[in-house]
Amino acid sequence: MGGAFLAAAVLARLGGRIGLPTIPLFILAGILLGPHTPGYTLLSNPHDLEMLSALGLVLLLFYLGLEFHMDDLKTGGRKMAIAGGTYLALNVGAGLGFGFALGWGTSEALVLAGVLGISSSAIVTKILVDLGRIGNPETRPILGIIVVEDVFLALYLAALQPILSGADSLSAMLVDAGKAFGFLLLLALAARFGTKIIGKLMNTRDDELLVISFLGVAVFVAGVSEMFGVADAIGAFMVGLMLGSTTSGERILKLVHPLRDAFGAIFFFAFGLSIDPGDLLSVFWPVLAAVVLTLAMNVAAGLAAARIYSFGTQATANIATTLVARGEFALILATMAAAAGLDNRLSPFIAGYVLLLAVLAPLAAGRSHWLARILPGGRGGPDGGGKDGDKDQEQIPVSV
């Protein structure tokens, strides 16, 4: 355990010096110290970290639920819904087509649709903060698209779970899907109408009791969710949605942050342990094709969002490059696919795809002015970007 934390920390510190996000570095630490790489093996059996890895996944989605508020869907209204829907249609649609083109199977294609279609909110947020773009006009639609993606993810995972569980017949699959959506609806109603009661039950001035309480609820509901065919991570997300709206929400957000970081690192590290670098070579060309496809779809989505919001070319380039990163959600799908016994090429494909885009995304976002110059009407430099590039440049307060 200590070695896993230290290895992840050392690589993350080194990567931070050149501006790389932590997620691909945590995965790389697991690959380098895993049983499939020559040299020192820290853990010969990745399953030794299975429970801690599951806890990391639960805390990642629990934290995301805390940050997400139902009011976020109302802010930005129609434009946000159209921009988010357009992004998902382009990227999820392209991912589904790509999955079928590979010919690995229908279930595999459905997994790849989610992998290629959904951005990493953790990396996107980090890029915005690191580049000082939180107050930029285009940041609001970027975060709006992330919110729409989060809602889609919850529904997509709930729908995908019965398919991956291998229901024996259509009726059995419908029953499983009904149980999953019924439980999800119950959690959604509790989040919408039970906030006051839940808030009173959770309320305490003692931080120790509050930590034990919200951890107990999040992990317990995640476990019950699995019994109803809902991914444990989505159960945790719904608990975060409930608790985030209570009077203790802000305190819980602060208290869970270091826990999320610590156990989230173990989740990414454990995923790296399961990857055989030799397998990455076998999926090199599919990974490269998927990366090119994702870059193209993000440029198209950036152009669409810019048209909706009347932005110039620099803002268009910022949207396109910032949303490129794929991370935690792709790895959640990889974990589900592995548990369902799907094609064994999926895990190395997703690992290579996430690693490559997680490295490319911050580099591309920092040099988005290069893209702005080649977009239609783009002749501006880093601060230019067309006639609307500097439109409405006042600092817009955005909650991250």
Side-chain angles (χ1 to χ4, degrees):
M1 270 292 297
F5 278 120
L6 287 174
V10 169
L11 269 182
R13 282 172 176 265
L14 292 174
R17 294 179 181 273
I18 56 175
L20 293 179
T22 55
I23 289 176
L25 295 168
F26 292 155
I27 299 172
L28 184 60
I31 292 174
L32 293 176
L33 295 175
H36 307 295
T37 306
Y40 180 72
T41 299
L42 182 66
L43 281 165
S44 57
N45 187 1
H47 293 293
D48 290 343
L49 292 179
E50 190 170 10
M51 182 59 71
L52 293 171
S53 173
L55 182 58
L57 180 57
V58 163
L59 289 173
L60 280 169
L61 269 291
F62 174 68
Y63 184 87
L64 188 64
L66 287 170
E67 284 195 318
F68 180 86
H69 296 285
M70 297 305 291
D71 291 341
D72 291 343
L73 287 175
K74 300 175 184 177
T75 305
R78 181 170 170 271
K79 285 185 177 180
M80 185 183 78
I82 295 173
T86 302
Y87 187 90
L88 286 171
L90 287 170
N91 286 273
V92 174
L96 185 62
F98 180 80
F100 281 121
L102 284 179
W104 292 353
T106 301
S107 295
E108 287 78 1
L110 292 171
V111 169
L112 288 171
V115 169
L116 270 66
I118 300 175
S119 307
S120 166
S121 59
I123 299 178
V124 168
T125 302
K126 184 173 175 58
I127 289 172
L128 291 171
V129 172
D130 289 350
L131 295 178
R133 293 179 181 170
I134 290 297
N136 284 16
E138 73 273 7
T139 295
R140 186 179 292 278
I142 288 173
L143 295 179
I145 289 171
I146 291 294
V147 168
V148 174
E149 284 184 319
D150 292 344
V151 174
F152 172 80
L153 177 76
L155 298 173
Y156 191 71
L157 288 183
L160 194 61
Q161 186 75 22
I163 297 172
L164 297 186
S165 63
D168 296 330
S169 64
L170 179 60
S171 59
M173 189 179 76
L174 291 174
V175 169
D176 289 344
K179 286 168 55 180
F181 278 109
F183 184 72
L184 204 59
L185 179 61
L186 182 64
L187 292 179
L189 290 173
R192 178 67 180 87
F193 299 107
T195 303
K196 289 185 179 180
I197 297 174
I198 295 168
K200 288 180 181 178
L201 292 173
M202 294 296 297
N203 189 35
T204 176
R205 294 182 179 180
D206 191 316
D207 284 350
E208 180 184 10
L209 292 178
L210 185 58
V211 169
I212 294 170
S213 299
F214 72 68
L215 271 180
V217 173
V219 176
F220 180 77
V221 173
V224 174
S225 296
E226 283 202 327
M227 295 172 61
F228 283 89
V230 177
D232 53 1
I234 294 305
F237 174 83
M238 297 303 295
V239 173
L241 196 62
M242 295 180 211
L243 300 185
S245 301
T246 65
T247 54
S248 302
E250 289 188 11
R251 284 176 61 208
I252 294 173
L253 193 66
K254 292 178 181 178
L255 290 169
V256 77
H257 198 285
L259 294 171
R260 180 209 69 172
D261 288 345
F263 289 99
I266 293 297
F267 169 71
F268 297 122
F269 181 87
F271 182 78
L273 287 176
S274 65
I275 299 301
D276 186 342
D279 292 340
L280 293 176
L281 295 175
S282 66
V283 292
F284 174 78
W285 291 112
V287 166
L288 194 60
V291 167
V292 172
L293 179 63
T294 300
L295 293 173
M297 289 300 102
N298 272 263
V299 171
L303 288 168
R307 187 176 181 84
I308 293 167
Y309 285 88
S310 300
F311 286 146
T313 51
Q314 183 57 55
T316 303
N318 288 349
I319 294 171
T321 53
T322 303
L323 288 167
V324 160
R326 302 294 187 264
E328 61 273 20
F329 300 144
L331 300 186
I332 291 169
L333 289 166
T335 303
M336 291 174 63
L342 299 188
D343 195 300
N344 56 17
R345 289 171 290 186
L346 269 179
S347 287
F349 171 87
I350 294 172
Y353 176 73
V354 168
L355 281 170
L356 195 51
L357 280 183
V359 171
L360 281 176
L363 299 177
R367 294 159 181 80
S368 60
H369 55 280
W370 292 356
L371 175 61
R373 289 172 183 165
I374 62 174
L375 289 174
R379 296 182 180 179
D383 301 316
K387 62 180 181 180
D388 298 318
D390 297 319
K391 184 178 180 180
D392 298 329
Q393 286 292 332
E394 74 273 11
Q395 293 295 300
I396 298 175
V398 178
S399 173
V400 181

